[in-house]
Every structure is written in structure tokens, then in C-alpha cells.
Amino acid sequence: LMLTRGILQSCIPKDCSLPIVLRVSSGNSILNEDMSNEKLCVSTEDAIRLNASAVAFSIYVGAEYEHQTLVEFSKLINQAHRYGIPVLAVTAVGKKMNRDVGYVSLASRIAAELGADIIKTYYCEDFSHLVNVCHVTVVIAGGKKIPEADALQLAHNAISDGASGVDMGRNIFQSECPIAMIQAVRRLSLIHI
């Protein structure tokens, strides 16, 4: 599960045994024209207190606040790795950024070079190239809500092209049958192991 501190504290049972990836960057909403104005907003100590298995941070390569997100991400790497906590970089694209292989490969490679343990990025044409240049675990973002068959095809394509997994949100919880959908995505992931 990847979620925010508030959702973890108020909606997830304390005895939940699923690994939690805690989102630690924030500072914007979808209402802002430029979504890249994010900073580190949850401490590593809080992540430890909340028993997070990993922490997640969005970086915005090519956006107005690129420098800020990369510096904040680097600070997180230093803090989390001091405690042995893996860091997941979300290569965010904002409202106007494209999702071609050049952009997502660059953003993913920068995250890996800064020390990310896992990259969450968007599936694109030539995705296997991106996986080959990152040298760390890559998972794909589910993105906007699409028909279930299309979401499963996306997951299949990404895993066939080298993604280690799929991090889908709305394509699962907004599905007509979320339990069946998550089981289907999981089966796709296991086929390629």
C-alpha cells in the first residue's frame, strides 16, 4: 500500500501486516496550475513511528520547482538510508509534462543516481530502455482511470518490458470489481517472475 500519513493513521488498522509505503512529500493540490511545488513534509522519524516499510517522494524533472524537489529528495535519501528505509521516487509529470521515453527515462535515471531504491514512473513506448538505464527496481504508475481491460493490458506490457510491478490506484479502487482487478494484476506480475 502507498498512502499518506493521515490515511494511514485514520483508515488502516494498527495490526495491518501489509508493507506500507508512506508518501512523505506534499505541498500542492490538483487545483494549482503548477503541481511541482512540493517539499519533504513527513519526517523519517514519523515514518519509523508509523512502521512504514519504505517512503515515497515525488520529483518533478523539467518543472518550475525541479531544483527544490531534487534537493528535498536528496535530503530524504540521506535521512531514510541512515535508518535503512528504502526510498521510492515518483517521477511525477504534472499537468503539462509529457510521458515520452526521453522524459521518463531522464527523470528515472536522475532519481536512481540520487539514490532511489525504487522508481515509480509511467509506462511509455520503449519502456525496456528505461528499465535498462535505471539499474534499480522500476514499477509503473497506473495513471488515470481507464477501462479494466486496458489497465490489465498496460500492466502486462509494462511487466513484459521489465517493470518489477504495478502501482495502480484508481484503476483498482474505481473498478467495478476491485478485488478481482487487484487479483488479476497480481497474477500478471507473478507470470513474469
Side-chain angles (χ1 to χ4, degrees):
L1 297 172
M2 184 167 90
L3 37 76
T4 59
R5 174 173 50 190
I7 296 298
L8 175 58
Q9 291 174 322
S10 63
C11 298
I12 304 299
K14 302 284 186 232
D15 61 350
C16 177
S17 62
L18 294 173
I20 301 294
V21 178
L22 182 65
R23 182 176 170 80
V24 296
S25 60
S26 66
N28 65 37
S29 78
I30 197 162
L31 299 177
N32 290 316
E33 187 60 34
D34 184 350
M35 294 176 54
S36 70
N37 194 5
E38 283 200 357
K39 289 189 175 185
L40 179 59
C41 293
V42 178
S43 70
T44 300
E45 289 76 15
D46 251 7
I48 292 167
R49 180 181 62 78
L50 294 166
N51 202 27
S53 298
V55 291
F57 190 100
S58 295
I59 62 169
Y60 291 83
V61 173
E64 181 179 350
Y65 294 96
E66 171 188 64
H67 175 76
Q68 173 180 291
T69 62
L70 293 178
V71 170
E72 293 286 304
F73 180 67
S74 296
K75 289 177 185 177
L76 173 63
I77 296 278
N78 295 340
Q79 294 169 14
H81 284 179
R82 191 174 308 127
Y83 292 101
I85 299 173
V87 178
L88 182 147
V90 179
T91 59
V93 298
K95 291 180 181 179
K96 297 180 181 174
M97 292 182 211
N98 65 38
R99 296 179 185 182
D100 68 20
V101 70
Y103 170 76
V104 292
S105 290
L106 174 64
S108 299
R109 182 65 187 251
I110 288 170
E113 289 183 6
L114 290 175
D117 302 291
I118 307 162
I119 308 291
K120 175 182 171 182
T121 195
Y122 291 93
Y123 182 74
C124 58
E125 211 170 302
D126 297 324
F127 190 77
S128 59
H129 168 75
L130 180 151
V131 172
N132 290 331
V133 300
C134 277
H135 308 294
V136 297
T137 300
V138 176
V139 299
I140 65 146
K144 65 182 180 181
K145 175 69 175 99
I146 56 178
E148 281 83 356
D150 294 345
L152 291 172
Q153 187 64 55
L154 170 72
H156 170 76
N157 293 347
I159 292 168
S160 294
D161 286 346
S164 295
V166 178
D167 183 5
M168 285 189 175
R170 64 185 61 85
N171 279 304
I172 291 176
F173 65 76
Q174 290 179 359
S175 168
E176 291 192 26
C177 300
I179 293 172
M181 186 66 177
I182 201 164
Q183 289 171 340
V185 170
R186 186 165 192 269
R187 275 193 293 275
L188 284 172
S189 299
L190 295 174
I191 290 170
H192 294 280
I193 292 179

